[in-house]
């Protein structure tokens, strides 16, 4: 469960691993909490959340993405050495 803060909302909705309520919406928060009262809802969201962490949202995957970006930058020659300024 999260508020509708963009980065968190995107992940929770894409992975279907919880519910999103509007920021400062007490009734929406209360409904999200009531929804978690259902054990089947909690179990399904938890399973999807764990799967998302195993496959996407973890340091090993982040390292792969970062290295891919760095390799692409290096391949374009963005780090070519330049003569020192005098």
């Amino acid at each position: 469960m999260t508020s509708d803060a963009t980065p968190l909302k995107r992940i929770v909705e894409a992975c279907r691993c919880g519910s999103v309520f509007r920021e400062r919406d007490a009734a929406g928060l209360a409904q999200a909490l009531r929804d978690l009262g259902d054990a089947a809802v909690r179990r399904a969201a938890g399973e999807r959340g764990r799967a998302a962490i195993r496959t996407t949202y973890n340091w090993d995957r982040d390292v792969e993405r970062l290295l891919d970006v760095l390799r692409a930058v290096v391949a374009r020659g963005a780090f070519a050495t330049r003569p020192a300024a005098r």
Side-chain angles (χ1 to χ4, degrees):
M1 173 175 53
T2 184
S3 72
D4 57 357
T6 302
L8 299 175
K9 176 182 177 186
R10 179 183 54 80
I11 292 169
V12 169
E13 287 179 346
C15 299
R16 297 181 16 232
C17 61
S19 59
V20 177
F21 62 92
R22 271 194 344 259
E23 176 186 8
R24 299 176 191 255
D25 178 4
L29 172 59
Q31 183 58 53
L33 289 168
R34 280 191 296 275
D35 292 345
L36 288 176
D38 183 330
V41 168
R42 285 193 314 272
R43 188 176 311 105
E47 289 170 2
R48 288 188 294 268
R50 281 187 293 281
I53 289 168
R54 280 192 305 272
T55 62
T56 306
Y57 301 103
N58 62 69
W59 285 112
D60 291 335
R61 184 65 185 117
D62 288 345
V63 166
E64 290 174 25
R65 285 189 289 254
L66 179 57
L67 288 174
D68 289 345
V69 168
L70 291 173
R71 286 182 190 111
V73 169
V74 169
R76 286 194 317 252
F79 290 112
T81 57
R82 295 186 180 110
R86 293 186 187 202

